[in-house]
Amino acid sequence: MIISFFGSLVVLTVYQYVSLYFKGVVDIILSTSFFIATVHQLGFASLVGVILVFPFNFWENLRPRYGFNLIFVLLILLLIVEAMLISYFCTALVPLGSDLLGYSFADIKTTIANSGGLSISLVVGVVIIIGLFFWLYKITSKHYHHISRMYPFTIILISMFVMTSFIEGKPINHNKTQYLALNIYDSSTEDASYDSDVEYPLIKSKRTQNVLRPYFNLKNEKPNIVFIMVEGLGRDFVGEGAEFGGFTPFLDKLTKQSLYWENCLSNTGRTFGVLPSLMGSLPFGKSGFMELEKYPNKLTLYGILKNNGYHTSFYQGTNSAFDNVDRFLNSENIDFILDKSGFGNKYTLQAEDAAGSSWGYPDKELFKKSMSLPRDNENPRMEVYMTISTHEPFIPPQQDKYEQKVKNILSSSSHEGKTRKVIEKNSNVFATLMYTDEALEYVFEEYKKKPGYENTIFIITGDHRLIPIPQRNNLSRFHVPLIMFSPMLKSPRKMSALTSHFDVTPSLLALLDGNFEMKMPKKVAWMGDALDMNEEFRGNKDIPLMRNKNELKEYISGEKLFSDGNVYSLDKEMNLSSSFGGSKVEGKLKAFKSMNAYVTNNNKIIPDSLAIFSVQKEKFSDSEIIWINSVYNGENFDKVYMKARALAFEKEYDKALLLCRYILSESPSHIDTKVLMGRVSVWSGDYPSSIKILKECIKMNPNYIDSYSALFDVYYWSERTKEALELIDLVEQNSSSAHEIADKIERAKREARKKGMAHQTKLASRSKVSTL
């Protein structure tokens, strides 16, 4: 069985290298790397054999065939796991490690569904694996009399495992199951004890240098700030000298009209960390700041600007509950959040993938929706966008059109060799880049038409580099452009010095504080400092980098990078070369890990006295927590919502509201729960609270019909006929499901006729929902 298991692993290894070859990632299939991978598969098979021989003997001696059946099933399960992990590696180009533990089950399901899902090809693959293993077993079992003479076979397996442990491997040629297990073990047992006597180690009393001031002609009024965080926008795709350049013409042009940092680093290799790093210069915690069970006191650009009269907003076309984005934003008392639920029937979802799933609204639809919303011209604005189109499964609107554009560019470009092959094999990815680039050009043109454009600062950057496209080295996934454009810029400038997302918020606040009367905290706790404005390449910063959730393995100090136990020197092209003297950088990484764990686990980023918004957490008594735990086992919020709903129907209103409060304390965007709270409030006789809650639901999600349905009932029961007539216009304008509550709409009209009120359809402005 172990020999058959090894043979199946070799076939899976062949599948991995063939997939990578046809994606343009590797140049040859039967390479040295392939044979190293085969050796590592032999070592893994040997280790599995050594471990399983003991339960095999125990159950086989207890009753014949019991041990055989047990091990047969276990080996098949291991093969299925390995196949899935290899498929993940071929897509993401990084092995799955302890970051798996950083995602909720709901997030994992969403990611799988929107990245192709569990397609029929996977089912076929599983069947093939089982069939292959069974076939190999049938062949080897015919020669059992030869195998049984090997003396003793367990010693041979142990020897093979020990031998392979001395052969160095990289993620591409590791057994992926073994990598996952060891990675989780290493992360779980890592020592992160903090032994300093400094209570708040991140506190800085020295003000950040105002390095941006010489480059701006600021006006008398505070400027609007607009961030656009572009999914997967790596430096390899943007600007002069980009390896895969030519597919973002608008951004390429913008880099020459802006302050442009070509060697900026995202502090995390996935989207989960971009908001805390870019908006708050915050530490990571174990799995990313937004994953912390309880947020420590913090300062962010959102909070400080809101405290200085800014209207704060956030726009994305996906579900804001993913990665706990909504929870983080609500902790900053943000004024307005637009996500997938709030678009209405005038906007088109991204095309579904093969599994029938869609992340949400593509980038241009996001910008169209944002531009349709009203803006208060009396207060300065801080607006933040997070795009999604340049994420798997890479299905832009009018895909054929953009893929033809990719072909046209290739036909006249200087791309050659491996680079050209990668582009040809991933034409859908580059087509999506072109779509997003056009969407960005569109939103800039729209902003030009808006009041206040001349007094706006735009910041465009990537959350990380596109992962499915092959990367040059361990730093590539963090290497992103940082573009700061404004009509108030005196002149463009390109910086080649190393900087990171941690430096953006401190630098912007220094600019504002140096020119306006700002209410600023006396002390700050930024992870970063001022952006480096040096035009020549240099590295004079310490920059921690979190590759994935739970994986803090990279650290930059000066011009040296510590990564996976090795130290490298950086050059002006961001290439890596082996270097010496890594112990100092490794020591800084260990010290940072300890400090990072200490400040996030013990609320030691800033003291209460410096916090602008203390983190508002719903408080529950001990008895309430015990009761909640007795009815909710922590599986998912949809299940506990159903429990709250059942209690409401049983007229257990207090208990239903308690569960609703608990759900919303953990998942603020769970709209079904909020609607239920509105219904329960009116059933309890509290009409004003019910109306307030349901209006908030409509503002949160203008398309969701249940909010309107509940509010129509409240208006009917409370005889608010005029308000019901106004609600008819609103639901017909915003919801594609108005026909589902035609009876309630007709009831409102009927009540109006009884009272002599005529319903006249208003040409409601697009601002209606925002002023509800």
Side-chain angles (χ1 to χ4, degrees):
M1 281 195 292
I2 294 300
I3 292 173
S4 305
F5 178 66
F6 168 65
S8 301
L9 289 174
V10 171
V11 172
L12 288 175
T13 303
V14 172
Y15 161 74
Q16 171 186 288
Y17 279 83
V18 168
S19 297
L20 295 176
Y21 174 77
F22 282 106
K23 288 186 70 173
V25 179
V26 299
D27 298 323
I28 187 171
I29 297 173
L30 298 178
S31 60
T32 302
S33 176
F34 172 83
F35 290 107
I36 293 175
T38 302
V39 172
H40 278 282
Q41 296 290 26
L42 176 62
F44 179 69
S46 302
L47 176 63
V48 169
V50 170
I51 293 173
L52 294 184
V53 72
F54 300 105
F56 174 81
N57 282 333
F58 175 80
W59 288 102
E60 196 68 15
N61 291 330
L62 189 68
R63 189 165 182 177
R65 300 293 294 183
Y66 269 36
F68 173 86
N69 293 334
L70 171 66
I71 303 307
F72 198 89
V73 170
L74 288 176
L75 292 179
I76 286 176
L77 290 175
L78 282 173
L79 286 172
I80 293 173
V81 169
E82 179 69 7
M84 294 176 70
L85 292 174
I86 284 177
S87 294
Y88 175 87
F89 178 78
C90 290
T91 300
L93 303 184
V94 290
L96 188 63
S98 57
D99 51 313
L100 175 68
L101 304 181
Y103 292 93
S104 67
F105 183 66
D107 283 356
I108 292 171
K109 285 199 302 182
T110 300
T111 302
I112 291 174
N114 292 314
S115 299
L118 300 176
S119 63
I120 187 66
S121 60
L122 180 61
V123 176
V124 172
V126 169
V127 172
I128 290 173
I129 292 168
I130 296 173
L132 174 68
F133 178 60
F134 187 78
W135 177 71
L136 287 173
Y137 171 74
K138 284 294 186 181
I139 292 176
T140 54
S141 63
K142 293 179 181 178
H143 304 283
Y144 176 75
H145 57 287
H146 296 300
I147 297 172
S148 65
R149 292 172 187 169
M150 296 181 184
Y151 173 81
F153 193 54
T154 305
I155 300 299
I156 295 173
L157 293 176
I158 293 175
S159 301
M160 289 179 177
F161 172 68
V162 171
M163 176 186 69
T164 57
S165 65
F166 289 100
I167 299 177
E168 185 179 356
K170 298 294 182 183
I172 188 174
N173 41 45
H174 274 304
N175 173 275
K176 304 304 181 289
T177 307
Q178 186 175 348
Y179 179 94
L180 174 64
L182 291 176
N183 199 261
I184 290 175
Y185 173 79
D186 290 342
S187 298
S188 302
T189 57
E190 190 172 48
D191 179 22
S193 55
Y194 181 73
D195 56 6
S196 173
D197 58 357
V198 180
E199 186 177 8
Y200 293 95
L202 284 175
I203 290 288
K204 298 176 181 177
S205 55
K206 181 182 176 183
R207 288 190 176 274
T208 303
Q209 184 182 357
N210 189 358
V211 296
L212 296 176
R213 184 172 188 175
Y215 304 97
F216 285 89
N217 281 319
L218 292 179
K219 300 184 184 300
N220 295 328
E221 300 83 19
K222 296 170 187 171
N224 303 313
I225 308 291
V226 177
F227 280 88
I228 304 178
M229 302 177 297
V230 182
E231 170 68 36
L233 186 68
R235 168 66 178 88
D236 287 341
F237 309 101
V238 178
E240 187 178 359
E243 181 181 5
F244 299 98
F247 301 96
T248 56
F250 170 72
L251 286 178
D252 292 344
K253 182 174 67 174
L254 196 65
T255 62
K256 297 177 181 179
Q257 303 169 358
S258 310
L259 298 180
Y260 168 49
W261 289 264
E262 65 172 352
N263 289 327
C264 179
L265 298 174
S266 169
N267 296 98
T268 57
R270 292 281 194 177
T271 310
F272 70 87
V274 66
L275 266 176
S277 298
L278 198 60
M279 302 297 147
S281 196
L282 291 164
F284 305 123
K286 182 173 177 58
S287 303
F289 191 90
M290 294 193 297
E291 292 293 327
L292 292 170
E293 184 175 345
K294 183 178 180 182
Y295 292 148
N297 289 328
K298 61 189 183 300
L299 295 170
T300 73
L301 188 62
Y302 263 130
I304 293 174
L305 292 190
K306 182 176 175 65
N307 198 41
N308 281 274
Y310 274 74
H311 180 275
T312 55
S313 55
F314 178 81
Y315 308 102
Q316 70 176 127
T318 58
N319 184 359
S320 62
F322 191 84
D323 275 337
N324 294 314
V325 168
D326 59 345
R327 184 167 156 255
F328 178 79
L329 295 173
N330 277 284
S331 74
E332 290 302 299
N333 286 356
I334 191 169
D335 292 309
F336 178 74
I337 299 174
L338 170 73
D339 75 350
K340 180 179 179 178
S341 64
F343 275 70
N345 58 1
K346 297 180 181 179
Y347 301 90
T348 305
L349 279 166
Q350 177 180 291
E352 294 180 347
D353 58 24
S357 296
S358 171
W359 274 110
Y361 291 88
D363 298 345
K364 194 167 185 179
E365 296 295 285
L366 168 66
F367 294 138
K368 284 180 179 178
K369 176 65 179 181
S370 163
M371 291 294 101
S372 74
L373 298 172
R375 283 165 168 78
D376 180 4
N377 296 323
E378 295 181 4
N379 296 319
R381 303 186 305 275
M382 176 184 169
E383 303 180 349
V384 180
Y385 294 86
M386 183 178 285
T387 72
I388 192 58
S389 292
T390 40
H391 190 289
E392 292 167 316
F394 304 107
I395 309 174
Q398 299 178 290
Q399 184 169 351
D400 292 342
K401 165 189 167 183
Y402 290 103
E403 290 204 11
Q404 184 60 49
K405 287 189 173 187
V406 172
K407 291 179 182 178
N408 294 341
I409 290 174
L410 270 179
S411 65
S412 58
S413 73
S414 59
H415 295 298
E416 56 186 21
K418 184 176 180 179
T419 301
R420 187 180 188 88
K421 184 178 178 181
V422 168
I423 296 170
E424 290 172 343
K425 299 293 185 183
N426 296 276
S427 60
N428 62 323
V429 177
F430 290 91
T432 311
L433 268 174
M434 298 202 73
Y435 164 77
T436 293
D437 186 70
E438 283 191 13
L440 289 168
E441 184 174 21
Y442 162 81
V443 78
F444 267 78
E445 291 301 317
E446 290 299 307
Y447 266 109
K448 288 179 182 178
K449 304 172 187 176
K450 299 288 183 183
Y453 168 75
E454 298 296 328
N455 191 30
T456 301
I457 298 173
F458 296 88
I459 299 98
I460 303 98
T461 189
D463 56 349
H464 57 82
R465 180 200 184 275
L466 275 170
I467 292 174
I469 301 301
Q471 301 167 30
R472 287 181 295 144
N473 53 50
N474 286 7
L475 196 58
S476 292
R477 70 183 302 166
F478 304 101
H479 190 189
V480 295
L482 176 63
I483 304 167
M484 191 176 293
F485 172 80
S486 174
M488 295 178 285
L489 267 180
K490 294 179 181 178
S491 61
R493 179 184 174 96
K494 184 175 82 168
M495 281 64 65
S496 296
L498 275 177
T499 197
S500 82
H501 282 168
F502 280 155
D503 302 324
V504 175
T505 281
S507 300
L508 281 174
L509 287 173
L511 174 67
L512 296 176
D513 190 37
N515 290 272
F516 304 97
E517 291 186 11
M518 298 280 290
K519 292 184 287 184
M520 294 289 290
K522 295 178 181 178
K523 295 181 180 180
V524 295
W526 309 130
M527 285 292 303
D529 201 351
L531 289 160
D532 195 329
M533 305 300 296
N534 203 54
E535 290 184 296
E536 301 300 319
F537 174 79
R538 71 177 181 187
N540 59 8
K541 295 178 178 289
D542 287 342
I543 307 173
L545 303 169
M546 179 173 261
R547 185 188 306 175
N548 295 304
K549 293 184 180 181
N550 287 326
E551 289 192 323
L552 188 50
K553 295 183 176 183
E554 275 85 16
Y555 194 92
I556 286 179
S557 182
E559 295 177 14
K560 290 187 181 293
L561 166 70
F562 181 84
S563 176
D564 279 335
N566 300 309
V567 63
Y568 305 93
S569 292
L570 306 178
D571 65 18
K572 62 181 181 180
E573 305 296 334
M574 298 294 274
N575 294 316
L576 305 182
S577 57
S578 296
S579 182
F580 298 100
S583 58
K584 184 178 180 181
V585 188
E586 183 179 11
K588 287 187 175 183
L589 174 58
K590 288 181 178 178
F592 171 74
K593 286 181 177 180
S594 299
M595 183 274 293
N596 172 62
Y598 165 73
V599 298
T600 52
N601 293 337
N602 299 284
N603 192 16
K604 296 297 182 180
I605 297 178
I606 57 170
D608 293 346
S609 59
L610 293 179
I612 293 176
F613 300 121
S614 57
V615 178
Q616 300 295 320
K617 184 77 172 177
E618 183 82 47
K619 296 191 184 320
F620 301 95
S621 67
D622 292 341
S623 60
E624 286 176 333
I625 287 294
I626 291 173
W627 180 80
I628 290 169
N629 292 339
S630 72
V631 297
Y632 174 55
N633 61 8
E635 286 183 11
N636 63 59
F637 292 117
D638 289 336
K639 287 189 176 181
V640 72
Y641 158 74
M642 295 305 295
K643 177 66 177 178
R645 186 168 175 266
L647 287 168
F649 289 162
E650 294 168 6
K651 298 186 179 182
E652 296 276 357
Y653 298 141
D654 290 341
K655 289 182 177 179
L657 287 173
L658 175 58
L659 276 183
C660 289
R661 284 170 47 217
Y662 176 75
I663 296 169
L664 293 174
S665 72
E666 299 295 329
S667 181
S669 62
H670 201 280
I671 192 166
D672 282 326
T673 298
K674 208 167 180 66
V675 172
L676 180 61
M677 282 192 76
R679 288 187 179 278
V680 173
S681 295
V682 73
W683 294 341
S684 303
D686 188 351
Y687 288 94
S689 293
S690 176
I691 292 170
K692 179 182 177 182
I693 292 170
L694 293 172
K695 283 184 174 181
E696 289 174 356
C697 291
I698 292 173
K699 185 175 180 180
M700 179 193 300
N701 185 344
N703 187 45
Y704 195 53
I705 198 63
D706 283 9
S707 306
Y708 298 99
S709 177
L711 191 53
F712 271 120
D713 286 340
V714 176
Y715 285 155
Y716 174 68
W717 294 330
S718 58
E719 298 183 350
R720 289 174 167 83
T721 308
K722 180 182 177 183
E723 289 90 336
L725 288 178
E726 292 173 351
L727 190 60
I728 294 173
D729 297 317
L730 199 64
V731 66
E732 291 177 345
Q733 174 192 340
N734 290 308
S735 180
S736 56
S737 306
H739 61 280
E740 294 181 12
I741 55 170
D743 56 332
K744 296 187 179 184
I745 292 174
E746 183 56 37
R747 182 181 65 187
K749 293 178 181 178
R750 189 166 57 247
E751 290 300 308
R753 288 194 293 270
K754 286 181 183 178
K755 296 182 179 182
M757 297 180 185
H759 173 242
Q760 296 177 346
T761 301
K762 302 179 182 65
L763 295 175
S765 71
R766 291 185 178 184
S767 64
K768 186 90 175 191
V769 70
S770 296
T771 56
L772 180 67

